[in-house]
Coordinates of all heavy atoms in Angstrom, one line a residue:
F1 N 34.0 -3.8 -21.8 CA 34.2 -3.9 -20.3 C 33.0 -3.3 -19.6 O 32.6 -3.9 -18.6 CB 35.5 -3.3 -19.9 CG 35.8 -3.4 -18.5 CD1 36.2 -4.7 -18.0 CD2 35.7 -2.4 -17.6 CE1 36.5 -4.9 -16.6 CE2 35.9 -2.5 -16.2 CZ 36.3 -3.8 -15.8
A2 N 32.5 -2.1 -20.1 CA 31.4 -1.5 -19.3 C 30.1 -2.4 -19.4 O 29.4 -2.4 -18.4 CB 31.1 -0.2 -20.1
E3 N 29.9 -3.0 -20.5 CA 28.7 -4.0 -20.6 C 28.9 -5.1 -19.6 O 27.9 -5.5 -19.0 CB 28.6 -4.6 -22.0 CG 28.2 -3.6 -23.0 CD 28.1 -4.1 -24.5 OE1 28.1 -5.3 -24.6 OE2 28.2 -3.3 -25.4
F4 N 30.1 -5.7 -19.5 CA 30.3 -6.8 -18.5 C 30.0 -6.3 -17.1 O 29.4 -6.9 -16.3 CB 31.8 -7.3 -18.6 CG 32.1 -8.2 -17.5 CD1 31.6 -9.6 -17.6 CD2 32.9 -7.8 -16.5 CE1 31.9 -10.4 -16.6 CE2 33.2 -8.7 -15.5 CZ 32.8 -10.0 -15.5
E5 N 30.6 -5.1 -16.8 CA 30.4 -4.5 -15.4 C 28.9 -4.2 -15.2 O 28.4 -4.5 -14.0 CB 31.2 -3.2 -15.3 CG 31.0 -2.6 -13.9 CD 31.6 -3.4 -12.8 OE1 32.6 -4.2 -13.1 OE2 31.2 -3.2 -11.7
R6 N 28.1 -3.7 -16.1 CA 26.7 -3.5 -16.0 C 26.0 -4.8 -15.7 O 25.0 -4.9 -15.0 CB 26.1 -2.8 -17.2 CG 24.7 -2.5 -17.2 CD 24.4 -1.4 -16.1 NE 23.0 -1.4 -15.9 CZ 22.5 -1.3 -14.7 NH1 23.2 -1.4 -13.6 NH2 21.1 -1.3 -14.5
A7 N 26.3 -5.9 -16.5 CA 25.7 -7.2 -16.3 C 26.0 -7.7 -14.9 O 25.1 -8.3 -14.2 CB 26.2 -8.1 -17.3
M8 N 27.1 -7.5 -14.4 CA 27.5 -7.9 -13.0 C 26.7 -7.2 -12.0 O 26.2 -7.7 -11.0 CB 29.0 -7.7 -12.7 CG 29.9 -8.6 -13.6 SD 29.6 -10.4 -13.3 CE 30.1 -10.5 -11.6
I9 N 26.5 -5.8 -12.1 CA 25.7 -5.0 -11.2 C 24.3 -5.5 -11.2 O 23.6 -5.6 -10.2 CB 25.8 -3.5 -11.6 CG1 27.2 -3.0 -11.4 CG2 24.7 -2.7 -10.9 CD1 27.4 -1.6 -11.9
R10 N 23.7 -5.8 -12.4 CA 22.3 -6.3 -12.6 C 22.2 -7.6 -11.9 O 21.2 -7.8 -11.2 CB 22.0 -6.3 -14.1 CG 20.5 -6.7 -14.3 CD 20.2 -6.7 -15.8 NE 20.7 -5.5 -16.5 CZ 21.4 -5.5 -17.6 NH1 21.8 -6.7 -18.1 NH2 21.8 -4.5 -18.2
E11 N 23.1 -8.4 -12.0 CA 23.0 -9.8 -11.4 C 23.1 -9.6 -9.9 O 22.3 -10.3 -9.1 CB 24.2 -10.6 -11.9 CG 24.2 -12.0 -11.3 CD 25.3 -12.9 -11.9 OE1 25.7 -12.7 -13.1 OE2 25.9 -13.7 -11.1
R12 N 24.0 -8.8 -9.3 CA 24.0 -8.7 -7.9 C 22.8 -8.0 -7.3 O 22.3 -8.3 -6.3 CB 25.3 -7.8 -7.5 CG 26.6 -8.5 -7.7 CD 27.8 -7.8 -7.0 NE 28.0 -6.5 -7.6 CZ 28.8 -6.2 -8.6 NH1 29.6 -7.1 -9.1 NH2 28.9 -4.9 -9.0
T13 N 22.2 -7.0 -8.1 CA 21.0 -6.4 -7.6 C 19.9 -7.4 -7.6 O 19.1 -7.4 -6.6 CB 20.6 -5.2 -8.6 OG1 21.7 -4.3 -8.6 CG2 19.4 -4.5 -8.2
S14 N 19.7 -8.1 -8.6 CA 18.7 -9.2 -8.6 C 18.8 -10.2 -7.5 O 17.8 -10.5 -6.9 CB 18.7 -9.9 -10.0 OG 18.5 -9.1 -11.1
A15 N 20.0 -10.6 -7.2 CA 20.3 -11.6 -6.1 C 19.9 -10.9 -4.8 O 19.3 -11.5 -3.9 CB 21.7 -12.0 -6.1
G16 N 20.2 -9.6 -4.6 CA 19.9 -8.9 -3.3 C 18.4 -8.7 -3.2 O 17.8 -8.9 -2.1
L17 N 17.7 -8.4 -4.2 CA 16.3 -8.2 -4.1 C 15.6 -9.6 -3.9 O 14.6 -9.7 -3.0 CB 15.7 -7.7 -5.5 CG 16.0 -6.2 -5.7 CD1 15.5 -5.8 -7.2 CD2 15.4 -5.3 -4.7
A18 N 16.0 -10.7 -4.4 CA 15.5 -12.0 -4.2 C 15.7 -12.4 -2.8 O 14.8 -13.0 -2.1 CB 16.1 -13.0 -5.1
Q19 N 16.9 -12.1 -2.2 CA 17.2 -12.5 -0.8 C 16.3 -11.7 0.1 O 15.8 -12.2 1.1 CB 18.7 -12.2 -0.5 CG 19.0 -12.6 0.9 CD 18.9 -14.1 1.1 OE1 19.1 -14.9 0.3 NE2 18.5 -14.4 2.3
A20 N 16.1 -10.4 -0.2 CA 15.2 -9.5 0.6 C 13.8 -10.1 0.6 O 13.1 -10.1 1.7 CB 15.3 -8.1 0.1
R21 N 13.3 -10.5 -0.5 CA 11.9 -11.1 -0.6 C 11.9 -12.4 0.3 O 10.9 -12.6 1.0 CB 11.6 -11.4 -2.0 CG 11.0 -10.2 -2.7 CD 10.4 -10.6 -4.1 NE 10.8 -9.6 -5.0 CZ 11.8 -9.7 -5.9 NH1 12.5 -10.8 -6.0 NH2 12.1 -8.7 -6.7
I22 N 12.9 -13.2 0.2 CA 12.9 -14.4 1.1 C 12.8 -14.1 2.5 O 12.2 -14.7 3.3 CB 14.1 -15.2 0.7 CG1 14.0 -15.8 -0.7 CG2 14.4 -16.3 1.8 CD1 15.4 -16.4 -1.2
E23 N 13.5 -12.9 2.9 CA 13.5 -12.5 4.3 C 12.2 -11.7 4.7 O 12.1 -11.3 5.8 CB 14.8 -11.7 4.6 CG 16.0 -12.5 4.4 CD 17.3 -11.7 4.5 OE1 17.2 -10.4 4.7 OE2 18.4 -12.2 4.4
G24 N 11.4 -11.6 3.7 CA 10.1 -10.9 4.1 C 10.0 -9.4 3.9 O 9.1 -8.7 4.2
R25 N 11.1 -8.9 3.3 CA 11.1 -7.4 3.1 C 10.7 -7.1 1.7 O 10.9 -7.9 0.8 CB 12.5 -6.9 3.3 CG 13.0 -7.0 4.7 CD 14.3 -6.2 5.0 NE 15.3 -6.5 3.9 CZ 16.4 -7.3 4.1 NH1 16.5 -7.9 5.2 NH2 17.2 -7.4 3.1
I26 N 9.9 -6.0 1.5 CA 9.5 -5.6 0.2 C 9.9 -4.2 0.0 O 10.2 -3.4 0.9 CB 8.0 -5.7 0.0 CG1 7.3 -4.9 1.1 CG2 7.6 -7.1 0.0 CD1 5.8 -4.8 0.9
G27 N 10.1 -3.8 -1.3 CA 10.5 -2.5 -1.6 C 9.3 -1.5 -1.7 O 8.2 -1.9 -1.5
G28 N 9.6 -0.2 -1.9 CA 8.5 0.7 -2.1 C 8.3 1.6 -0.9 O 8.9 1.4 0.1
R29 N 7.5 2.5 -1.1 CA 7.2 3.5 0.0 C 6.3 2.8 1.0 O 5.4 2.1 0.7 CB 6.4 4.7 -0.6 CG 6.1 5.8 0.2 CD 5.5 6.9 -0.5 NE 5.2 8.0 0.3 CZ 4.7 9.1 0.0 NH1 4.4 9.4 -1.4 NH2 4.3 10.0 0.8
R30 N 6.5 3.3 2.3 CA 5.6 2.7 3.3 C 4.3 3.4 3.2 O 4.2 4.5 2.8 CB 6.3 3.0 4.7 CG 7.5 2.3 4.9 CD 8.1 2.7 6.3 NE 9.4 2.2 6.5 CZ 9.7 1.1 7.1 NH1 8.8 0.3 7.6 NH2 11.0 0.7 7.2
R31 N 3.2 2.7 3.7 CA 1.9 3.3 3.7 C 1.8 4.3 4.8 O 2.4 4.2 5.9 CB 0.9 2.2 4.0 CG 0.7 1.3 2.9 CD -0.4 0.3 3.2 NE -0.8 -0.3 1.9 CZ -1.8 -1.2 1.9 NH1 -2.5 -1.6 3.0 NH2 -2.2 -1.7 0.7
K32 N 1.1 5.4 4.5 CA 1.0 6.4 5.5 C 0.0 6.1 6.6 O 0.1 6.6 7.7 CB 0.5 7.8 4.7 CG 0.6 9.0 5.5 CD 0.5 10.2 4.7 CE 0.7 11.4 5.6 NZ 0.7 12.6 4.8
L33 N -1.0 5.3 6.2 CA -2.0 4.9 7.2 C -1.9 3.4 7.5 O -1.7 2.6 6.6 CB -3.4 5.2 6.7 CG -3.7 6.6 6.3 CD1 -5.2 6.7 5.7 CD2 -3.6 7.6 7.4
G34 N -2.0 3.1 8.7 CA -2.0 1.7 9.1 C -3.3 1.0 8.9 O -4.3 1.7 8.5
D35 N -3.4 -0.3 9.1 CA -4.6 -1.0 8.9 C -5.8 -0.5 9.7 O -6.9 -0.4 9.2 CB -4.4 -2.5 9.2 CG -3.5 -3.2 8.2 OD1 -3.4 -2.6 7.0 OD2 -2.9 -4.2 8.5
K36 N -5.5 -0.2 11.0 CA -6.6 0.3 11.8 C -7.1 1.6 11.3 O -8.4 1.9 11.3 CB -6.1 0.4 13.3 CG -7.1 0.9 14.2 CD -6.6 0.9 15.7 CE -7.6 1.5 16.6 NZ -7.0 1.6 18.0
Q37 N -6.2 2.5 10.9 CA -6.7 3.8 10.4 C -7.4 3.7 9.1 O -8.4 4.3 8.9 CB -5.4 4.7 10.2 CG -4.7 5.1 11.5 CD -3.4 5.8 11.2 OE1 -2.7 5.4 10.3 NE2 -3.1 6.8 12.0
R38 N -7.0 2.8 8.2 CA -7.6 2.5 6.9 C -9.0 2.0 7.1 O -10.0 2.5 6.5 CB -6.8 1.5 6.1 CG -5.5 2.1 5.7 CD -4.6 1.0 5.0 NE -5.1 0.6 3.7 CZ -4.8 1.2 2.6 NH1 -4.0 2.4 2.6 NH2 -5.3 0.8 1.5
R39 N -9.2 1.1 8.2 CA -10.5 0.6 8.5 C -11.4 1.7 9.0 O -12.6 1.8 8.6 CB -10.4 -0.5 9.5 CG -11.7 -1.3 9.7 CD -11.6 -2.5 10.7 NE -10.3 -3.1 10.7 CZ -9.4 -3.0 11.7 NH1 -9.7 -2.2 12.7 NH2 -8.2 -3.6 11.7
E40 N -10.9 2.6 9.8 CA -11.6 3.7 10.4 C -12.1 4.6 9.3 O -13.2 5.1 9.3 CB -10.8 4.4 11.5 CG -11.6 5.5 12.2 CD -10.7 6.2 13.2 OE1 -9.8 5.5 13.8 OE2 -11.0 7.3 13.5
V41 N -11.2 5.0 8.4 CA -11.5 5.8 7.3 C -12.7 5.2 6.5 O -13.7 5.9 6.2 CB -10.3 6.1 6.3 CG1 -10.8 6.7 5.0 CG2 -9.3 6.9 7.1
A42 N -12.6 4.0 6.1 CA -13.6 3.3 5.3 C -14.9 3.3 6.0 O -16.0 3.6 5.4 CB -13.1 1.9 4.9
E43 N -14.9 2.9 7.2 CA -16.2 2.7 8.0 C -16.8 4.1 8.2 O -18.1 4.2 8.1 CB -15.9 2.0 9.3 CG -15.6 0.5 9.1 CD -15.2 -0.1 10.4 OE1 -15.1 0.5 11.4 OE2 -15.0 -1.4 10.3
S44 N -16.1 5.2 8.4 CA -16.6 6.5 8.6 C -17.3 6.9 7.3 O -18.4 7.6 7.4 CB -15.5 7.4 9.1 OG -15.1 7.1 10.4
V45 N -16.6 6.8 6.2 CA -17.2 7.3 5.0 C -18.4 6.5 4.6 O -19.4 7.0 4.2 CB -16.1 7.3 3.8 CG1 -16.6 7.6 2.5 CG2 -15.0 8.2 4.2
I46 N -18.3 5.1 4.7 CA -19.4 4.3 4.2 C -20.7 4.6 5.1 O -21.8 4.6 4.6 CB -19.0 2.8 4.2 CG1 -18.0 2.5 3.1 CG2 -20.2 1.9 4.1 CD1 -17.4 1.2 3.2
S47 N -20.5 4.7 6.4 CA -21.6 4.9 7.3 C -22.2 6.3 7.2 O -23.3 6.6 7.6 CB -21.2 4.7 8.7 OG -20.3 5.7 9.2
G48 N -21.5 7.3 6.6 CA -21.9 8.6 6.4 C -21.6 9.5 7.5 O -22.1 10.7 7.6
R49 N -20.9 9.1 8.5 CA -20.5 9.9 9.7 C -19.6 11.1 9.2 O -19.7 12.2 9.8 CB -19.7 9.1 10.7 CG -20.7 8.2 11.5 CD -19.9 7.5 12.7 NE -18.7 6.9 12.1 CZ -18.4 5.6 12.3 NH1 -19.2 4.9 13.1 NH2 -17.3 5.1 11.8
K50 N -18.7 10.8 8.3 CA -17.8 11.8 7.8 C -17.7 11.7 6.2 O -17.9 10.6 5.7 CB -16.4 11.6 8.4 CG -16.3 11.8 9.9 CD -15.5 12.9 10.3 CE -15.3 12.9 11.8 NZ -15.1 14.2 12.3
S51 N -17.4 12.8 5.6 CA -17.2 12.7 4.2 C -15.8 12.3 3.9 O -14.9 12.4 4.8 CB -17.5 14.1 3.6 OG -16.5 15.0 3.9
G52 N -15.5 12.0 2.6 CA -14.2 11.6 2.2 C -13.2 12.8 2.4 O -12.1 12.6 2.8
A53 N -13.7 14.0 2.1 CA -12.9 15.1 2.2 C -12.5 15.4 3.7 O -11.3 15.7 4.0 CB -13.6 16.4 1.7
E54 N -13.4 15.2 4.6 CA -13.1 15.4 6.0 C -12.1 14.4 6.5 O -11.1 14.8 7.2 CB -14.4 15.3 6.8 CG -15.4 16.4 6.7 CD -16.7 16.1 7.4 OE1 -17.2 15.0 7.4 OE2 -17.2 17.1 7.9
M55 N -12.2 13.1 6.1 CA -11.3 12.1 6.5 C -9.9 12.3 5.9 O -8.9 12.1 6.6 CB -11.8 10.7 6.2 CG -13.1 10.3 6.9 SD -12.9 10.4 8.7 CE -11.9 9.1 9.0
A56 N -9.9 12.8 4.6 CA -8.6 13.2 4.0 C -7.9 14.2 4.8 O -6.7 14.2 5.1 CB -8.8 13.6 2.6
R57 N -8.6 15.2 5.2 CA -8.0 16.4 5.9 C -7.6 15.9 7.3 O -6.4 16.2 7.8 CB -8.9 17.6 6.1 CG -9.0 18.4 4.9 CD -9.7 19.8 5.2 NE -11.1 19.5 5.7 CZ -12.1 19.4 4.9 NH1 -12.0 19.4 3.6 NH2 -13.4 19.2 5.4
L58 N -8.4 15.1 8.0 CA -8.1 14.5 9.3 C -6.7 13.7 9.3 O -6.0 13.9 10.2 CB -9.2 13.7 9.8 CG -9.1 13.1 11.2 CD1 -9.1 14.2 12.2 CD2 -10.3 12.2 11.5
Y59 N -6.6 12.9 8.3 CA -5.4 12.0 8.3 C -4.3 12.5 7.3 O -3.2 11.9 7.3 CB -5.8 10.6 7.8 CG -6.5 9.8 8.9 CD1 -7.9 9.7 8.9 CD2 -5.8 9.3 9.9 CE1 -8.6 9.0 9.8 CE2 -6.4 8.6 10.9 CZ -7.8 8.4 10.9 OH -8.4 7.7 11.9
G60 N -4.5 13.7 6.8 CA -3.4 14.2 6.0 C -3.0 13.5 4.7 O -1.9 13.4 4.3
V61 N -4.1 12.9 4.1 CA -4.0 12.2 2.8 C -4.8 12.9 1.7 O -5.7 13.8 2.1 CB -4.3 10.7 2.9 CG1 -3.3 10.0 3.8 CG2 -5.7 10.5 3.4
S62 N -4.7 12.5 0.5 CA -5.5 13.1 -0.5 C -6.9 12.5 -0.6 O -7.1 11.3 -0.1 CB -4.9 13.0 -1.9 OG -4.8 11.7 -2.3
E63 N -7.9 13.2 -1.3 CA -9.2 12.5 -1.4 C -9.2 11.3 -2.3 O -9.9 10.3 -1.9 CB -10.2 13.6 -1.9 CG -10.5 14.7 -0.9 CD -11.5 15.7 -1.5 OE1 -12.5 15.3 -2.1 OE2 -11.3 16.9 -1.2
P64 N -8.4 11.2 -3.3 CA -8.3 10.0 -4.1 C -7.8 8.8 -3.3 O -8.2 7.7 -3.5 CB -7.4 10.3 -5.2 CG -7.5 11.8 -5.4 CD -7.7 12.4 -4.1
T65 N -6.9 9.1 -2.3 CA -6.4 8.0 -1.5 C -7.5 7.5 -0.6 O -7.7 6.3 -0.5 CB -5.3 8.6 -0.6 OG1 -4.2 9.0 -1.4 CG2 -4.9 7.5 0.4
V66 N -8.4 8.4 -0.1 CA -9.6 7.9 0.7 C -10.5 7.1 -0.2 O -11.0 6.1 0.3 CB -10.3 9.2 1.3 CG1 -11.6 8.7 2.0 CG2 -9.4 9.8 2.3
S67 N -10.7 7.6 -1.4 CA -11.6 6.9 -2.3 C -11.1 5.5 -2.6 O -11.9 4.4 -2.6 CB -11.7 7.6 -3.6 OG -12.3 8.8 -3.4
R68 N -9.8 5.3 -2.8 CA -9.2 4.0 -3.0 C -9.3 3.1 -1.7 O -9.6 1.9 -1.9 CB -7.7 4.1 -3.4 CG -7.5 4.6 -4.8 CD -6.0 4.4 -5.2 NE -5.1 5.2 -4.4 CZ -4.8 6.5 -4.7 NH1 -5.3 7.1 -5.8 NH2 -4.0 7.1 -3.9
I69 N -9.2 3.7 -0.6 CA -9.3 2.9 0.6 C -10.7 2.4 0.8 O -11.0 1.2 1.1 CB -8.9 3.8 1.9 CG1 -7.4 4.0 1.9 CG2 -9.4 3.1 3.1 CD1 -7.0 5.1 2.9
V70 N -11.7 3.2 0.5 CA -13.1 2.9 0.6 C -13.4 1.8 -0.4 O -14.1 0.8 -0.1 CB -14.0 4.1 0.5 CG1 -15.5 3.7 0.4 CG2 -13.8 5.1 1.7
A71 N -13.0 2.0 -1.6 CA -13.2 1.0 -2.7 C -12.6 -0.3 -2.4 O -13.3 -1.4 -2.5 CB -12.7 1.5 -4.0
A72 N -11.4 -0.4 -1.8 CA -10.8 -1.6 -1.4 C -11.6 -2.3 -0.3 O -11.7 -3.5 -0.3 CB -9.3 -1.4 -1.1
Y73 N -12.0 -1.5 0.7 CA -12.8 -2.0 1.8 C -14.1 -2.6 1.4 O -14.5 -3.7 1.8 CB -13.0 -0.8 2.8 CG -13.7 -1.4 4.1 CD1 -12.9 -1.8 5.1 CD2 -15.1 -1.2 4.3 CE1 -13.5 -2.2 6.3 CE2 -15.6 -1.5 5.5 CZ -14.9 -2.1 6.5 OH -15.4 -2.5 7.7
R74 N -14.8 -1.9 0.4 CA -16.0 -2.5 -0.1 C -15.8 -3.8 -0.9 O -16.5 -4.7 -0.7 CB -16.7 -1.5 -1.0 CG -17.3 -0.4 -0.3 CD -18.1 0.6 -1.3 NE -18.9 1.5 -0.5 CZ -19.0 2.8 -0.8 NH1 -18.5 3.2 -1.9 NH2 -19.7 3.6 -0.1
Q75 N -14.7 -3.8 -1.7 CA -14.4 -5.0 -2.4 C -14.1 -6.2 -1.5 O -14.5 -7.3 -1.7 CB -13.2 -4.8 -3.3 CG -12.8 -5.9 -4.2 CD -13.8 -6.2 -5.3 OE1 -14.5 -5.3 -5.8 NE2 -13.9 -7.4 -5.6
Q76 N -13.3 -5.9 -0.4 CA -13.0 -6.9 0.5 C -14.3 -7.4 1.3 O -14.4 -8.6 1.4 CB -12.0 -6.3 1.6 CG -11.5 -7.3 2.6 CD -10.6 -6.7 3.6 OE1 -10.6 -5.5 3.8 NE2 -9.8 -7.4 4.3
S77 N -15.2 -6.5 1.5 CA -16.4 -6.9 2.2 C -17.3 -7.8 1.3 O -17.8 -8.8 1.8 CB -17.2 -5.7 2.6 OG -16.5 -4.9 3.6
E78 N -17.3 -7.4 0.0 CA -18.1 -8.3 -0.9 C -17.5 -9.7 -1.1 O -18.2 -10.6 -1.2 CB -18.1 -7.6 -2.3 CG -19.0 -6.4 -2.4 CD -18.9 -5.7 -3.7 OE1 -18.3 -6.2 -4.7 OE2 -19.4 -4.5 -3.8
N79 N -16.1 -9.7 -1.2 CA -15.5 -11.0 -1.3 C -15.7 -11.9 -0.1 O -15.9 -13.1 -0.2 CB -13.9 -10.8 -1.5 CG -13.6 -10.2 -2.9 OD1 -14.5 -10.3 -3.8 ND2 -12.4 -9.8 -3.0
Q80 N -15.7 -11.3 1.1 CA -15.9 -12.1 2.3 C -17.4 -12.5 2.4 O -17.7 -13.6 2.9 CB -15.6 -11.3 3.5 CG -14.1 -11.1 3.8 CD -13.7 -10.3 4.9 OE1 -14.6 -9.7 5.6 NE2 -12.5 -10.2 5.2
A81 N -18.3 -11.7 1.8 CA -19.8 -12.1 1.9 C -20.0 -13.3 0.9 O -20.9 -14.1 1.2 CB -20.6 -10.9 1.4
L82 N -19.2 -13.4 -0.1 CA -19.4 -14.5 -1.1 C -18.9 -15.8 -0.6 O -19.2 -16.9 -1.0 CB -18.7 -14.2 -2.4 CG -19.2 -13.0 -3.2 CD1 -18.3 -12.7 -4.4 CD2 -20.6 -13.3 -3.6
I83 N -18.0 -15.8 0.4 CA -17.3 -17.0 0.9 C -18.2 -17.7 1.9 O -19.1 -17.4 2.6 CB -16.0 -16.7 1.6 CG1 -15.0 -16.2 0.5 CG2 -15.4 -17.9 2.3 CD1 -13.6 -15.9 0.9

């Protein structure tokens, strides 16, 4: 009986997640920085106005987060240059 109940829970959970995706909702943690803030972080670090550590302290995020933002921004810029 427990296996049957577990299968039913799994089925309902999958159906709920699928419906949420259809409605445009996604799971997971919300981003701490918005798009505008992410762009500002990347442009400040790339231009040399501020270091990654300074931007991390300013926005209350870790230095690896700033590094990922800058790397993603550079990758996006390269992809747009190729188009």
Side-chain angles (χ1 to χ4, degrees):
F1 182 74
E3 290 177 18
F4 173 73
E5 182 64 26
R6 181 69 191 131
M8 294 301 294
I9 292 170
R10 189 176 311 125
E11 185 177 320
R12 287 192 300 265
T13 301
S14 295
L17 290 172
Q19 184 62 35
R21 276 189 220 102
I22 290 170
E23 294 173 3
R25 295 191 313 258
I26 56 173
R29 183 177 177 177
R30 294 181 191 264
R31 288 186 165 179
K32 191 164 187 178
L33 303 178
D35 291 337
K36 183 178 177 183
Q37 291 170 321
R38 295 169 71 83
R39 190 176 331 105
E40 185 178 333
V41 166
E43 289 173 356
S44 295
V45 173
I46 290 171
S47 70
R49 289 186 304 235
K50 300 240 184 207
S51 70
E54 290 173 321
M55 294 307 288
R57 279 193 301 275
L58 181 66
Y59 284 104
V61 296
S62 68
E63 290 182 45
T65 298
V66 171
S67 296
R68 282 192 299 272
I69 290 169
V70 171
Y73 186 82
R74 284 186 174 140
Q75 182 69 34
Q76 183 183 19
S77 297
E78 288 176 11
N79 288 344
Q80 288 178 353
L82 294 175
I83 293 176

